Every structure is written in C-alpha cells, then in structure tokens.
Amino acid sequence: MQLKIMPKKKHFSAGRVPLILFLCQMISALDVPLDSKLLGDLVQPPTITQQSPKDYIIDPRENIVIQCEAKGKPPPSFSWTRNGTHFDIDKDPLVTMKPGSGTLIINIMSEGKAETYEGVYQCTARNERGAAISNNIVVRPSRSPLWTKERLEPITLHNGQSLVLPCRPPIGLPPAIIFWMDNSFQRLPQSERVSQGLNGDLYFSNVLPEDTREDYICYARFNHTQTIQQKQPISLKVISVDELNDTIAANLSDTEFYGAKPGKERPPTFLTPQGTESRKEELRGNVLSLECIAEGLPTPIIYWIKEDGTLPVNRTFYQNFKKTLQITQVSEADSGNYQCIAKNTLGAVHHTISVTVKAAPYWISAPQNLVLSPGENGTLICRANGNPKPRIGWLTNGVPVEIAPDDPSRKIDGDTIIFSNVQERSSAVYQCNASNEYGYLLANAFVNVLAEPPRILTSANILYQVIANRPALLDCAFFGSPLPTIEWFKGTKGSALHEDIYVLHDNGTLEIPVAQKDSTGTYTCVARNKLGMAKNEVHLEIKDPTRIIKQPEYAVVQRGSKVSFECKVKHDDTLIPTIMWLKDNGELPNDERFSIGKDHLVVTDVSDDDGGMYTCAANTTLDSVSASAVLRVVAPTPTPAPIYDVPNPPFDLELTNQLDKGVQLTWTPGDDNNSPITKFIIEYEDAMHEAGIWHHQAEVSGTQTTAQLTLSPYVNYSFRVMAENSIGRSVPSEASEQYLTKAAEPDQNPTAVEGLGTEPDNLVITWKPLNGFESNGPGLQYKVSWRQKDGDDEWTSVVVANVSKYIVSGTPTFVPYLIKVQALNDVGFAPEPAAVMGHSGEDLPMVAPGNVRVNVVNSTLAEVHWDPVPLKSVRGHLQGYRIYYWKAQSSSKRNRRHIEKKILTFQGNKTHGMLPGLQPYSHYVLNVRVVNGKGEGPASTDRGFHTPEGVPSAPSSLKIVNPTLDSLTLEWDPPSHPNGVLTEYTLRYQPINSTHELGPLVDLKIPANKTRWTLNHLNFSTRYKFYFYAQTSVGSGSQITEEAITTVDEAGILPPDVGAGKAMASRQVDIATQGWFIGLMCAVALLILILLIVCFIRRNKGGKYPVKEKEDAHADPEIQPMKEDDGTFGEYSDAEDHKPLKKGSRTPSDRTVKKEDSDDSLVDYGEGVNGQFNEDGSFIGQYSGKKEKEPAEGNESSEAPSPVNAMNSFV
C-alpha cells in the first residue's frame, strides 16, 4: 500500500539549522521559480525585488539614483509617478532609466540642483499578468547649514557653581552628531561631573579651577555630506578660593575672608529635565533614551528604576556615566513610569518620566503569492498591527480595489481576499496597504493562475554524503499547478517510503532522521498532479563519523618542563581529516617550542604564558569534532607544597536505560585529593564465563559521571569504576549490580585458521576458538569446510564441538586446500567466513641435488655450486639446501682421522653457497641435500677438495729458562695450527732500560726443527723483550712475546769476556742502587751547601772580590771595567752582587772552559749524552769541554769551588 504524501504544515526545532535551509523552499514553492527549464513557457506577474528606502536622503553633490528592480515573465516594463502624477522621464534630459530595470538616474553633476528633484516617487512594474508598485520614496537632499553668527561673552564663575554651555546646532538633514573639542581638535574629557547631554549641551554639575579655558568649542558633524561645522569658542574662568580671598583682602577686613571649603556644598537639583515629571513617546522597535543630569556639590550620582516593574535585563544599557538610560528594541510592554534619582551626601532628588510606546504598522501576516490552477480556490491574508491600530486597504495592479475592474472570483472581507473558482483572467498583483499616523506598510502579492504538469527542478543523480547517525536530507524541488503530491521510493522496486520511519516535508525534501549504513542507496522522487507525473533519482552514501579516540588530557606541569597532548583520530577511509591545534580558541603561538606531530602536540620549556586550554580539532568535508584539555603551569617548588594523592574511588554505581546491547552507567566521583580527575576507567566482569577476572570496558573524561556502554550478547555483566589523576589511579569502586544480556548469533568467526598436514596423507585444520565472551550464546560449535583448491570438488563440511582442531585423513601428499571455519550457537550462524589456503602433509624429498662443484677461493673459504632439484620432487614447502662437510685428511701429516661434520643451511631455492672458516692445508669432503618441512632428502655424491697453505698460528708457548749474567735460554712449542710446512722461526729482541725505553732491535732466524735456543753476550742485570713467530712459504704467522732479565753480579767482579767500556756502564748502573753510594752523595750535597753559605758570607763582608789573575787581557770591558787613571783592571761593583749564582756553573772569568782543565770529565768514558742527574742521584749525562760564551752570572772568584766542580772531583 502506497502512502500519498499531501502537503501539510511541519514544525521544526530551532537547532536543526540544515533542515531550516531546505525548508526555506516552502515559501518559494508557491512562487514560479525562474529556473532555466521554466523560463521558456511559464508566465509570472511582476514582483518588486529591490527599491530605495522610504525616506531617501541624497547627497546633493552626487547624481541621484532611485532604485526599482523587478522580476516577472514576460519581463516587466516600468513607469514612475512624482508627487502623485505621472513622471515623464522622456521630457527631462537629466533623467534616464537603467536598461532592463526601473532604476532612475538623475544627472545633477553636470547641471541642475538636487532641490529641484525633491518629492515623493513611486515605481510601477507591469506585464500582461499584472502590475506591482513600490513604496512611496520620499527624496530629500541632505543639508549641513552653518552656525548662526553670535557674540559669546566670557563666563566667570566661582569654584563649585554649576554651568550649562549651550550648543544649539543648526538643523540639518539628517541631524548632526555633536561633540565638544578644543582648538587642537582634542576631545574634552568628560566624567560624572562634566558630560554632554542628548541635546548637545555641555553640563557641569560643579566647576573647578582646572575647568578654566578659552576654547570650549561645539562641533556638528554631518555624516551624509562628510562636513563638520564649528561654533564660536566659549571662554570660561573659574575663580578659586585663594584668588577670591586676595580680591576681598584688598577691600574688606580680615574677618570677612572666605572659609577653607572651595564652595558652598548643596544637595542635588536637576539641570535637565526640569521639574519633577515629564513625558516621553517612542516608537516600537526603536531605542528608548531617557536622560537625567543633575548639579550639586559634591557631584551627584544618578540611579534609575522603573516604578511598576523591573528594567529588562538583556536590553538595558547605561551611557554617559549612568546619566542616560537606553532600552533597545522597545515594545509596548516597556511603557510606564521611569524614575531617575540624583543623590549626594546632602540629599537626593528624583524625576519621573512617563513613557508611552507607540507603533508604526508591523506585519502579523503579510500576503503571500498564490499559484492556482483553473477552478481552484485560495485566499490572500493581510494582517498588521500597530498603535493606533492600522487601517487596511487593498489595491489591484496599483489601483484601489474599489475602482478596479470587477472580478467575479474575488471577494474582499476586511484584511482577507477570498478567491473561488479562479480562471486565467483572475491573474493579477494585489497590494495591501496598512497605515496609521506613524507610518505605513505596502506589500505586493500576485495571484497567478496556471495549468502545468509537475516538473522536478532538482538536478538528477545528485550524490549526498552524510555522516552515520545524523539526519540525511534529500532534496526534491518541484513545480506544478495544481500543486503536485510527492512520493519517495528506495531502490528500483521499492515501495513508497512511509512517515513512520521517514519525515516527508512539504517542499519535497525527504528526511532520514538517523541515517545508518543500510540507508545507502538510490532514492527516487515522484511528483504527480492531474496533468502528469515527473520523477528524479538521487544517491545517498553514509560515512563513518570522525571520532577522537584518544583525547588530550588535563595536565599540570612545572615551569621549564615539557608537556605532550595526544589526539588520535579515527575517520571514514574515504574522508581525509585536517587536524588543527588551538590555544584558548585561537592559533598556537608562533614559537619553535610548539611542535605538532601526527597525533600529538609537544610544548617544551613550558612558561606561565603557555597555560590555558588546548583544543584538538579534526575536520572533514562532512563533519568536525574537537576535544580540549587544560594545561596548568605551576612553580617548580611550590611553597607550601600541596599534598597530592590518587583520587578516592567512585561510589553509588547505578545501571539505567537497559537495552539488549547497551546500558547507561552512572556514578558519583570520590574526592580528587587536590589533583583534578583526568579520566574514569570502567571495567567489567563476566560472571558467567570468567568470574573474578576484570576487563577494560571504556574510558571517559574526568568531567563525566555517566557513560553509555555497548554490550555483547549473552554476558552476565558487573561493572566497576576507577578514577585517575596526575598522581595515579584510585582503587576500584564497589561492583555494580549484575546485568545479563540476551543471547544472539556469533558476530565473528574463529581467527588464525590454518591447514597443515602432520602426515603425508592428512590435513590438520586448526583455529583459535572463540572465548565464552565472544560466543554470544549457548551451544557454541564450529562448522569446518574444506575442498581442494585446484579441483572442482564440492565443499565437504562437518560440525564439531567447541574444539580447536579437526583432522582430515586420506588426503594426497602436499596438495593445496581451501578451508573455512564458521562459528554457530543455539541462536544461529556467524557471518560467512573467508576461505584460507592450507596444504596436506609433506613427505621427504625424493631427489638429491646434482652436479655439485667446489671452487676454492682461498685457504679458509670455498664456494659450492649445485643444480636445484625439481619442485615436484620436493613434496613439501622448499625450505632450502643443506651442506654437510668435514675434514678428512691433513696434508702435512698425511694421516687420516675423521672429525665431526659441520652443517650449513641455505634458505630458499639457492644454487650456491660459501663455506667459511676452513682449515688451511687440509682435505675436506662435502655433500648437499634438499630440505622441506618434513626433513632432508637424499645426499648428493660426496665431493672432496683441498685447501692451500696458509700462515701458521702463533707458537703454542714460549718460556725463558736458565738466566745467567750474560745469557738467556728460550724454549718453545711449535704452533698448534701450522697450516702448512714450517720453514723457519724468527726471533726479535731488544733491551729495556729503567725508564721503559726500548733499545735497538736484533733479528735472529732459527731453523724450523729447533725448540730451544740460547742467547749469549747479553748485558747483565738488563731486561729484554722477545718477539717470536713461525713462518711457512705463504708468510709469517702471529707472534708471541715474552720478557726476561739477566742476573746481577753481587760481588762486583765482571766476567772476563766483557769489555772495559761496557763494564764501566754496568758498574755505573750498579753503583746507583747501592746504599753506601746514596749516603756518600748526601754528604757531598751537604758539603756543597756549607761552601755556598761561606762564600755568600765572605762576599757580603768584603763588599768586593779581587779579579782572578788568569783572566784574559781582552775580556769584555763591560764585564771587566778599567780604572780611568791607570788603566788597570778594577773590581766588580756591588751592584752586580745581587745576581744569583748559576746552578752548576764552573765557567771562569775569561768565559771559557778548556778540555785540559776538565781532568775529571765523564767525556773520557765516551757516554756523550746530555748532562742531568737521575732521580737516584747518579750522574748519567754529558759534561762538555766545548768552548761556549755565557752571560756573566756573578762576580765570584775562579778559585771558589762550584757544585759541579765538587761533583767532578768526586767522580
């Protein structure tokens, strides 16, 4: 049964904005749409679309443009009246009409005056279907007259008196805007004491000396002409108490001076309005402005009340320091008595203003256009209100209906025109005029009689995309006369859509209040009337909503630390979201400390200014979501530090709105313990399947105390809630009451379905079974189905109990199978599962790899090649090839001994591989086998190969035995891995002195058959380092090192084969370690110190010392000054005595050191190294006899013993 959708009135909530936009077509559906499809053959009476305002003030310096635009079919023609009579624009060369329009352009820029064209204009738009008229447009030029010349006397007042400075601006059009400024065009400051009234006058409640000035100027600004007129400046002088006393002092006695107060204090009185009562009349919809300005000392304060009610809250405003009360959008309800009260410390005064609100006409129901078909009935209703009540008058085509041609289908009843049995000649434009003494309203409404079959104006095949669970609105704009009925169908063969599920609107729009995934499809709109039928198809797609699955969380961080906000978004795969981060609903600061990742915002080095609300907004072309979190920045070390703790657990858990698959959980939060709760965690227990085990159910923000939970079938639920803050998570709440959901068929199938044979003739099908929670009902079983992949066999199925494995026997070896495992319970089957591929059991490979070849790369590496086996012979999954190899014979010893086999496996279908880590100079044997999941196939024929010689390993050991004074004996074991034929050994050694410095290196070759060697002629008591390695024909092997020391001659007797020079060196090293030598050296040092002290005392006592006679006669005169009288050598001055004695110097006065003078020099020992003392006191360096000039260090005698002389004498 089809449901005919007849037009009916619908009511919509204010919140459904998109719906309102569609329903706006309900009005235009009564009109004839000017669609391109209809313009060719539909007629329509004229409609005024644009006109100038009723009170039209023009700028006299510009051309006059009076607008009048209209639409209609055929396009209307235009005419004008001026002051009630026809305005013939053809006779006035300055007036033109805009082409295709009724707009007048009056060119007064070239000639003419604006005043000439003042008047009341009205436009008429006419075509064959009727005439529409505009409002009466009163055209007046703006005026900005000058101020009348007047002489203004200076004003002199005593301190504290009141004052009103009049402005009285010239009357302009429109009225001027008044303000007071000085000569510098700076606005004069205003306050509770000084303010400007609504009439433009400047009021002083009391004057002060600082009010004295000569440039109080009132300005009038005329915005229409952008001109400002200026009044003559007013001069004001305020006489202070001191000035007044000085004036009185000159004429009166001291007893008649004014007191200390600036003026006489007085209670308030009103400057405006006068008296105690006044009246005010205002029109509905305007702004009501009431003003009270009072004078007094101290300055009064103004208060406002309404005597018989309260002031409207959202429409009341105060201006001018509360001296002006303004009420916007005033209505008749605002009539009444308003009282202003002026109060200071000496008293109060009040004034009552009686307000009456009148109203120009306003619409209650303006007439609407009518489109009727022949023989139909209709009404035009024109209802208006006002104060006083407006009069309603009707016109037809611009002519009063009383004198218009009679129409038998028309009947006028006050504010209503009733049409019955209309005919095409009944088409006309009617005007309703509602007027009273405060204004008028004029509305055009046409009656258009048409006979048209239905037409659908919405484009065909429009694709609508809507987010799931939101309203979907499918448009079907239509036209027809009579008005067509609309039906909607889904799919190609669907029945008409009914209003119990869908909402069908008068404008043809189909609304799906809650669109679901199954709402996707093609919808057909059908329009019918008695003249025909039309239809149109549109398409609907439902998209998944964009959701923020991980919201940013409230954070409290310390100043200077880092904070991260997370925002993970889930969206429909076909929609691309744009993620934007906001701070306090504005853009993020342009600061490199803010970094945005894929799903998070990170702020480093947090400052106090970073605190606020951070919002993550995700937008797609169809929807948008956002989530916010507050960041609170705290000091690193708050004082006193608040005590934070995890929250107390929630309590009073309650389950409501219990449905088959959902329930609402409500709770009461516990105390947050000084750290705001950031989220609540909801867990559930399944008492039927897993009693005592709690699972995560949901998380909600810390501001929520209610959660709508989605449940699974056949589960006995209990819930508990935990609260979490920045410190941690609370203990769980008490469990809620239990709630058992109804059973349903499984909504999922087992996972991890596999088919692998364990024997060559079986197929083992395994799966991960559903748990009790996923079973959705009692009697869980599985339907197992299988068939060969490459055959034409039908599916074989078996239903098994709640197990995880089924074995199919009698299968061919390693054949691919398609497998399905479907869950079912007592309620029904799960959705049809997807098929997966498996294989029956494997068997061992049958064929060995052939053509095995070995390529020896070097002494430790070989490359093996083989031919692959046929894949059919593998009889299973090819896992790779495996090489077995072992060392069969050593080429150096020519003896055979079997060692453990080694295995290398190469994955996949490889045909070669490398064998690393081989033993050089060895014989190896190998074979190759193919490997599948079952195991290895037969081995290939053994293949042998030799590895070449390599370098040997280090000798196995090295020992130093039998040390003597000048010899050491070395013993060693050959290398454990000679890796070839040893040719010789190499021994390298070098001495090491007491400072760990290495001496010269000595190389020695030793035959390969030796394992012992003695070194002779070594230094005694000397450490040696040895480097020892073996060699083959390939090269040298790794070395082994060792250190040893020759023995010491305790008696000081040298062996006979040691030379004299070497004995001296050995004795020197030996003496340095003796105790008697160290004691002797200490005594010598003490003696030298005593001699230095004696020399110093002698030199200080004598003041001067004689010069040595052996000094060279040609010595430097600067060092040896001559006496001026006899030319003989003088003595050194005391001025040189302060120079320090150079340590170790033995240079005589002639600046030379001769070799023959150095009888004790160590140069004779031939050691020739730089002179220095060792740490143990032994002298091991050079004492040079080379002549060398040095600067004089002092004036000491050559006979005085020096430290070096003493040391050399000892040696």
Side-chain angles (χ1 to χ4, degrees):
M1 177 179 177
Q2 292 188 351
L3 175 65
K4 297 279 183 140
I5 305 171
M6 300 303 293
K8 59 182 179 180
K9 195 167 184 179
K10 302 272 183 191
H11 298 280
F12 308 100
S13 64
R16 294 166 68 176
V17 176
L19 183 57
I20 298 299
L21 298 177
F22 276 93
L23 298 185
C24 289
Q25 298 183 17
M26 291 179 62
I27 297 175
S28 62
L30 301 174
D31 198 350
V32 177
L34 293 182
D35 188 275
S36 59
K37 304 174 185 176
L38 304 176
L39 288 176
D41 55 358
L42 291 182
V43 293
Q44 178 176 314
T47 301
I48 301 292
T49 58
Q50 190 173 5
Q51 56 185 316
S52 294
K54 295 178 182 179
D55 190 7
Y56 186 27
I57 299 175
I58 61 172
D59 188 339
R61 300 168 299 179
E62 298 178 356
N63 289 338
I64 303 172
V65 178
I66 309 175
Q67 288 186 330
C68 180
E69 304 288 342
K71 67 177 181 178
K73 186 65 180 180
S77 59
F78 296 90
S79 62
W80 286 86
T81 62
R82 178 184 172 194
N83 297 328
T85 60
H86 177 67
F87 182 37
D88 192 348
I89 62 175
D90 295 332
K91 294 183 178 180
D92 192 333
L94 301 182
V95 181
T96 58
M97 187 180 295
K98 189 176 177 181
S101 163
T103 298
L104 294 182
I105 301 175
I106 304 175
N107 185 9
I108 61 172
M109 297 290 290
S110 57
E111 57 180 309
K113 294 183 178 181
E115 290 79 2
T116 307
Y117 294 94
E118 280 191 70
V120 180
Y121 292 79
Q122 188 172 45
C123 170
T124 301
R126 187 184 307 275
N127 68 8
E128 64 187 39
R129 287 272 167 159
I133 61 176
S134 71
N135 293 321
N136 286 330
I137 303 171
V138 179
V139 177
R140 295 181 294 171
S142 63
R143 299 181 179 86
S144 53
L146 298 176
W147 240 289
T148 304
K149 294 284 187 180
E150 56 181 330
R151 180 179 179 83
L152 300 175
E153 297 293 335
I155 300 173
T156 303
L157 294 176
H158 297 314
N159 186 13
Q161 289 183 289
S162 64
L163 173 66
V164 179
L165 295 182
C167 179
R168 292 192 286 273
I171 299 175
L173 188 67
I177 297 173
I178 306 301
F179 50 93
W180 288 80
M181 294 196 298
D182 58 17
N183 273 331
S184 302
F185 295 98
Q186 299 298 316
R187 286 186 178 270
L188 297 176
Q190 298 190 22
S191 63
E192 292 180 342
R193 185 178 62 83
V194 181
S195 60
Q196 177 183 315
L198 294 176
N199 62 354
D201 293 348
L202 191 63
Y203 292 85
F204 294 77
S205 295
N206 49 77
V207 295
L208 298 176
E210 55 261 31
D211 296 330
T212 298
R213 63 189 313 141
E214 297 180 352
D215 55 352
Y216 284 95
I217 304 174
C218 181
Y219 289 86
R221 183 175 67 202
F222 297 93
N223 283 345
H224 216 76
T225 57
Q226 296 296 309
T227 57
I228 297 177
Q229 304 294 353
Q230 173 184 337
K231 184 183 177 75
Q232 292 293 325
I234 301 175
S235 175
L236 170 63
K237 182 177 182 181
V238 179
I239 302 175
S240 66
V241 173
D242 293 338
E243 291 176 328
L244 189 59
N245 283 337
D246 291 341
T247 303
I248 296 174
N251 302 292
L252 302 174
S253 64
D254 293 345
T255 60
E256 296 175 329
F257 278 16
Y258 275 85
K261 292 186 178 180
K264 185 177 181 181
E265 293 185 346
R266 59 190 181 277
T269 58
F270 284 110
L271 297 175
T272 182
Q274 302 291 331
T276 60
E277 294 183 356
S278 60
R279 294 183 175 276
K280 174 76 172 182
E281 189 175 278
E282 190 57 79
L283 289 181
R284 181 180 185 273
N286 289 351
V287 177
L288 172 65
S289 296
L290 305 179
E291 181 182 57
C292 283
I293 301 177
E295 63 90 15
L297 191 66
T299 302
I301 297 176
I302 305 297
Y303 302 91
W304 291 90
I305 61 172
K306 187 177 182 183
E307 292 183 354
D308 50 354
T310 58
L311 297 174
V313 176
N314 297 324
R315 296 185 292 116
T316 301
F317 302 93
Y318 296 99
Q319 304 289 339
N320 198 18
F321 308 97
K322 295 194 72 173
K323 299 175 186 179
T324 303
L325 169 68
Q326 288 188 338
I327 300 176
T328 60
Q329 290 295 320
V330 69
S331 66
E332 290 87 342
D334 296 317
S335 297
N337 293 329
Y338 293 80
Q339 190 175 98
C340 62
I341 303 168
K343 182 185 295 185
N344 67 7
T345 57
L346 299 182
V349 63
H350 67 272
H351 182 94
T352 301
I353 305 175
S354 179
V355 175
T356 303
V357 178
K358 298 291 185 179
Y362 57 91
W363 290 119
I364 296 176
S365 176
Q368 301 294 322
N369 296 332
L370 278 179
V371 177
L372 303 173
S373 61
E376 284 189 330
N377 304 327
T379 58
L380 287 179
I381 301 175
C382 177
R383 290 176 182 165
N385 201 358
N387 187 9
K389 185 75 174 178
R391 299 177 301 276
I392 303 296
W394 288 97
L395 299 87
T396 178
N397 296 326
V399 178
V401 70
E402 293 81 8
I403 60 175
D406 191 27
D407 184 353
S409 66
R410 178 183 67 210
K411 179 182 179 182
I412 299 177
D413 185 8
D415 58 7
T416 303
I417 301 181
I418 303 171
F419 297 93
S420 58
N421 193 24
V422 296
Q423 301 301 320
E424 189 171 351
R425 64 178 180 274
S426 301
S427 297
V429 182
Y430 289 85
Q431 292 82 33
C432 173
N433 187 325
S435 60
N436 65 11
E437 59 188 276
Y438 298 105
Y440 73 93
L441 293 173
L442 178 68
N444 290 276
F446 62 71
V447 176
N448 196 15
V449 181
L450 295 173
E452 291 293 330
R455 307 189 185 193
I456 295 179
L457 308 181
T458 299
S459 300
N461 295 313
I462 293 179
L463 174 62
Y464 293 91
Q465 294 180 329
V466 177
I467 296 297
N469 299 318
R470 294 190 180 181
L473 297 167
L474 309 183
D475 189 19
C476 182
F478 63 92
F479 176 76
S481 183
L483 187 67
T485 58
I486 301 297
E487 290 179 305
W488 280 93
F489 300 87
K490 182 181 180 184
T492 56
K493 298 181 180 179
S495 59
L497 303 180
H498 296 272
E499 281 195 292
D500 53 350
I501 300 176
Y502 302 90
V503 179
L504 307 167
H505 296 289
D506 291 345
N507 66 341
T509 297
L510 173 67
E511 178 186 0
I512 306 174
V514 182
Q516 303 292 339
K517 282 288 187 179
D518 58 3
S519 302
T520 299
T522 300
Y523 292 79
T524 303
C525 167
V526 178
R528 291 186 178 90
N529 67 9
K530 62 183 180 182
L531 300 178
M533 180 268 286
K535 66 179 180 179
N536 186 41
E537 287 186 352
V538 296
H539 308 282
L540 176 62
E541 288 183 358
I542 306 301
K543 305 292 184 180
D544 291 328
T546 304
R547 295 186 295 116
I548 298 179
I549 58 177
K550 183 65 175 176
Q551 299 185 355
E553 298 180 350
Y554 175 85
V556 179
V557 299
Q558 294 182 350
R559 191 182 308 119
S561 60
K562 181 176 76 172
V563 65
S564 177
F565 292 106
E566 192 173 8
C567 181
K568 291 186 178 179
V569 177
K570 184 176 182 182
H571 59 90
D572 191 277
D573 294 338
T574 62
L575 301 177
I576 301 177
T578 301
I579 309 298
M580 179 182 297
W581 284 92
L582 306 173
K583 180 181 183 295
D584 297 329
N585 296 322
E587 293 184 356
L588 288 178
N590 185 15
D591 192 330
E592 62 183 7
R593 297 183 300 109
F594 291 78
S595 60
I596 299 176
K598 179 182 178 182
D599 52 12
H600 62 272
L601 166 68
V602 177
V603 185
T604 58
D605 191 17
V606 174
S607 65
D608 291 336
D609 293 339
D610 297 332
M613 183 175 68
Y614 289 82
T615 302
C616 167
N619 301 298
T620 67
T621 55
L622 298 181
D623 65 345
S624 63
V625 291
S626 64
S628 299
V630 173
L631 171 64
R632 187 162 67 92
V633 182
V634 297
T637 54
T639 305
I643 299 175
Y644 297 106
D645 200 356
V646 298
N648 292 344
F651 54 94
D652 287 346
L653 273 64
E654 183 181 1
L655 298 178
T656 57
N657 297 341
Q658 297 178 355
L659 305 173
D660 289 348
K661 292 188 178 182
V663 71
Q664 180 172 285
L665 176 63
T666 305
W667 63 91
T668 302
D671 190 271
D672 63 6
N673 292 325
N674 298 319
S675 180
I677 296 174
T678 57
K679 63 180 178 181
F680 291 100
I681 299 94
I682 304 169
E683 295 182 338
Y684 71 89
E685 176 198 29
D686 181 3
M688 181 183 301
H689 303 105
E690 294 177 314
I693 300 177
W694 291 89
H695 302 274
H696 182 272
Q697 171 73 24
E699 291 183 4
V700 298
S701 70
T703 59
Q704 290 184 229
T705 58
T706 299
Q708 188 69 37
L709 306 179
T710 301
L711 307 181
S712 295
Y714 199 58
V715 176
N716 194 9
Y717 281 98
S718 293
F719 299 97
R720 70 182 186 184
V721 183
M722 292 173 287
E724 185 174 298
N725 60 14
S726 59
I727 307 302
R729 184 174 295 183
S730 73
V731 299
S733 68
E734 294 292 332
S736 71
E737 60 180 309
Q738 290 187 345
Y739 177 53
L740 177 61
T741 55
K742 293 182 179 180
E745 66 273 5
D747 50 19
Q748 59 182 320
N749 285 302
T751 57
V753 177
E754 291 183 343
L756 297 173
T758 58
E759 299 296 336
D761 60 348
N762 74 5
L763 171 66
V764 179
I765 302 173
T766 61
W767 60 90
K768 181 181 178 182
L770 304 181
N771 57 37
F773 181 81
E774 297 168 336
S775 65
N776 287 1
L780 178 63
Q781 293 179 299
Y782 300 100
K783 178 183 177 183
V784 184
S785 305
W786 67 91
R787 70 176 177 87
Q788 288 192 23
K789 178 177 181 294
D790 300 325
D792 298 328
D793 298 343
E794 295 295 327
W795 287 92
T796 302
S797 300
V798 62
V799 175
V800 298
N802 187 12
V803 294
S804 62
K805 181 171 70 174
Y806 182 77
I807 300 176
V808 181
S809 301
T811 62
T813 301
F814 197 64
V815 173
Y817 277 84
L818 293 179
I819 303 164
K820 295 189 295 184
V821 180
Q822 184 179 22
L824 67 149
N825 60 18
D826 292 348
V827 180
F829 284 85
E832 182 69 20
V836 299
M837 190 173 75
H839 286 82
S840 56
E842 301 180 70
D843 205 347
L844 293 176
M846 297 185 296
V847 179
N851 193 20
V852 178
R853 289 128 20 228
V854 181
N855 176 29
V856 179
V857 179
N858 55 41
S859 60
T860 62
L861 181 66
E863 184 177 15
V864 182
H865 290 261
W866 61 89
D867 291 342
V869 301
L871 287 179
K872 289 185 178 180
S873 70
V874 176
R875 298 200 294 178
H877 295 284
L878 176 62
Q879 294 187 356
Y881 290 86
R882 187 169 292 160
I883 300 177
Y884 286 77
Y885 64 101
W886 60 94
K887 189 167 68 169
Q889 174 181 329
S890 174
S891 298
S892 59
K893 296 186 178 181
R894 313 300 297 177
N895 63 335
R896 294 180 178 269
R897 58 187 181 92
H898 183 72
I899 63 172
E900 182 182 357
K901 293 183 178 180
K902 297 182 180 180
I903 303 172
L904 277 180
T905 301
F906 300 91
Q907 302 291 335
N909 195 19
K910 288 193 174 181
T911 59
H912 65 90
M914 307 295 287
L915 299 183
L918 302 177
Q919 185 73 37
Y921 203 57
S922 301
H923 179 71
Y924 281 89
V925 178
L926 64 81
N927 58 51
V928 185
R929 312 177 191 200
V930 67
V931 183
N932 66 10
K934 188 71 173 178
E936 299 176 351
S940 67
T941 305
D942 288 354
R943 180 79 174 178
F945 64 94
H946 291 272
T947 55
E949 278 192 281
V951 296
S953 62
S956 299
S957 64
L958 176 64
K959 296 185 292 183
I960 312 296
V961 298
N962 301 329
T964 65
L965 291 172
D966 64 344
S967 69
L968 293 170
T969 299
L970 286 72
E971 292 182 354
W972 64 89
D973 291 325
S976 59
H977 299 287
N979 295 337
V981 178
L982 296 182
T983 58
E984 62 182 0
Y985 292 101
T986 299
L987 173 64
R988 308 175 72 192
Y989 65 94
Q990 59 187 146
I992 305 174
N993 66 14
S994 59
T995 60
H996 303 289
E997 294 177 346
L998 300 174
L1001 192 64
V1002 178
D1003 281 2
L1004 182 63
K1005 302 296 184 179
I1006 300 174
N1009 58 353
K1010 299 291 186 181
T1011 60
R1012 180 184 177 92
W1013 193 263
T1014 300
L1015 295 176
N1016 296 313
H1017 308 298
L1018 302 177
N1019 294 336
F1020 70 84
S1021 189
T1022 302
R1023 178 179 294 274
Y1024 287 87
K1025 185 167 186 177
F1026 300 93
Y1027 311 91
F1028 191 61
Y1029 52 88
Q1031 289 181 286
T1032 64
S1033 61
V1034 177
S1036 302
S1038 302
Q1039 68 181 13
I1040 185 171
T1041 63
E1042 189 58 81
E1043 293 185 10
I1045 305 174
T1046 56
T1047 59
V1048 180
D1049 177 17
E1050 297 292 347
I1053 302 174
L1054 300 175
D1057 59 343
V1058 180
K1062 191 169 291 185
M1064 178 62 70
S1066 298
R1067 186 186 301 273
Q1068 178 183 357
V1069 175
D1070 186 36
I1071 291 173
T1073 62
Q1074 303 304 309
W1076 60 268
F1077 178 74
I1078 295 173
L1080 181 61
M1081 291 299 295
C1082 291
V1084 172
L1086 179 60
L1087 179 60
I1088 292 171
L1089 180 60
I1090 294 172
L1091 291 175
L1092 288 174
I1093 294 172
V1094 171
C1095 291
F1096 181 74
I1097 294 173
R1098 287 183 60 190
R1099 196 168 69 177
N1100 283 341
K1101 284 184 178 181
K1104 296 180 181 179
Y1105 295 91
V1107 182
K1108 191 172 183 283
E1109 293 179 358
K1110 291 183 180 181
E1111 287 178 359
D1112 195 337
H1114 301 288
D1116 192 340
E1118 292 183 3
I1119 300 176
Q1120 305 180 42
M1122 299 179 68
K1123 292 184 179 179
E1124 294 182 2
D1125 52 353
D1126 59 7
T1128 60
F1129 288 106
E1131 297 176 336
Y1132 284 104
S1133 169
D1134 285 337
E1136 300 295 329
D1137 291 345
H1138 69 280
K1139 292 186 177 181
L1141 179 67
K1142 186 173 183 181
K1143 184 178 181 181
S1145 174
R1146 72 188 300 262
T1147 306
S1149 302
D1150 63 358
R1151 311 296 299 147
T1152 63
V1153 176
K1154 297 180 181 180
K1155 186 173 183 180
E1156 56 268 26
D1157 296 335
S1158 305
D1159 297 334
D1160 301 329
S1161 174
L1162 291 179
V1163 176
D1164 296 336
Y1165 297 128
E1167 290 299 320
V1169 293
N1170 293 333
Q1172 58 181 340
F1173 282 93
N1174 229 349
E1175 291 180 356
D1176 59 0
S1178 61
F1179 191 84
I1180 61 173
Q1182 173 188 7
Y1183 187 80
S1184 175
K1186 182 180 178 181
K1187 291 187 178 180
E1188 180 180 313
K1189 284 208 169 186
E1190 292 179 302
E1193 294 295 338
N1195 193 18
E1196 67 275 358
S1197 171
S1198 63
E1199 295 179 354
S1202 70
V1204 177
N1205 285 339
M1207 177 60 70
N1208 290 335
S1209 299
F1210 167 74
V1211 174

